[in-house]
Amino acid sequence: TTVRQYAVAWQSAQVTREHSTRNTDVALRLHVLPHIGGRTLGSVRPSDMQALVKTLSATLAPGTVRETYKVAGRMFAAAVDDRILAASPCHRIRLPRDDRPEVVAPSVEEITALAGTVQPRYRALVVLLAGSGLRIGEALGLNVSDVDFLRRTVKVERQRLPSGRIGPPKTLKSARTVPIGQVVIDELAAHLAAYPGGGPLFTLSTGKPLAYRTWRSIWARAA
């Protein structure tokens, strides 16, 4: 059995969410299989995996290499569970260090500048993201009914995926009720007064829900 043959069968049997499915496909199709897809499973040694990691590190960011290696590790572990392999070649592999600097939260002045730069229709979204810590997909998935103005909370029960569809939160623990400050509540109240509606909290001028790709363009111009 070649790595490619097993990878196709293993990938098709996975029960994962859309984002994880896409990441697995990219890792295998673009980074793993072009290098070792034609090899038989039993011929791949730890030294081969170390060589693969080094090759990928020449062109990919450390985080991408690590995620690719994790996907390969899960696949080879499954081959061991299926008793096709006696041991996984993903053992004692040295991975590249992630030397990215620590993320620095924007200052109040920077947030205010961004909120003043975007179109007025999307100002409340900037303030909500800064004042709640919601992921962008969670914020775009909010409905008007998810905002409790009396208790000053927003209920996260879904997210808008990059494809535009609505899906469950990233994890089970991601479904939660988030407290927000009065500044955010006031901004959301002003937003609904200017752009009333009973469905999605953030919409386009056409009334359709604001999609991630559209927001990414808006955010890039503002930033």
Side-chain angles (χ1 to χ4, degrees), residues 94-202:
R94 187 177 182 87
L95 299 175
R97 292 181 55 182
D98 194 342
D99 294 327
R100 289 178 298 178
E102 181 179 353
V103 174
V104 178
S107 65
V108 174
E109 291 75 19
E110 289 171 328
I111 294 169
T112 302
L114 286 166
T117 302
V118 298
Q119 302 171 38
R121 190 179 195 94
Y122 309 119
R123 173 186 168 87
L125 179 52
V126 175
V127 176
L128 173 65
L129 290 171
S132 67
L134 266 64
R135 300 179 178 92
I136 180 60
E138 295 171 340
L140 295 178
L142 290 175
N143 289 330
V144 175
S145 59
D146 294 323
V147 183
D148 190 327
F149 288 91
L150 181 62
R151 294 181 175 84
R152 294 193 300 184
T153 61
V154 291
K155 184 180 294 184
V156 178
E157 297 181 324
R158 71 196 72 82
Q159 65 172 328
R160 189 168 298 280
L161 302 170
S163 64
R165 296 190 301 105
I166 288 291
K170 186 174 183 179
T171 66
L172 292 177
K173 293 183 179 180
S174 296
R176 64 203 187 280
T177 298
V178 180
I180 52 179
Q182 191 62 46
V183 170
V184 180
I185 283 292
D186 292 343
E187 195 67 45
L188 292 176
H191 172 78
L192 290 176
Y195 313 102
L201 181 58
F202 299 106

Side-chain angles (χ1 to χ4, degrees), residues 28-102:
L28 292 175
R29 179 169 48 84
L30 298 185
H31 305 316
V32 176
L33 298 183
H35 295 279
I36 61 173
R39 300 274 298 274
T40 59
L41 281 170
S43 71
V44 181
R45 302 285 183 261
S47 58
D48 298 317
M49 295 306 299
Q50 186 65 71
L52 174 60
V53 166
K54 182 175 182 179
T55 298
L56 296 178
S57 298
T59 56
L60 301 178
T64 303
V65 175
R66 298 177 75 90
E67 288 302 314
T68 299
Y69 175 76
K70 285 168 63 175
V71 170
R74 292 198 301 269
M75 181 191 68
F76 280 110
V80 173
D81 292 339
D82 286 339
R83 299 182 181 179
I84 298 175
L85 290 179
S88 170
C90 297
H91 181 61
R92 295 184 178 179
I93 304 302
R94 187 177 182 87
L95 299 175
R97 292 181 55 182
D98 194 342
D99 294 327
R100 289 178 298 178
E102 181 179 353

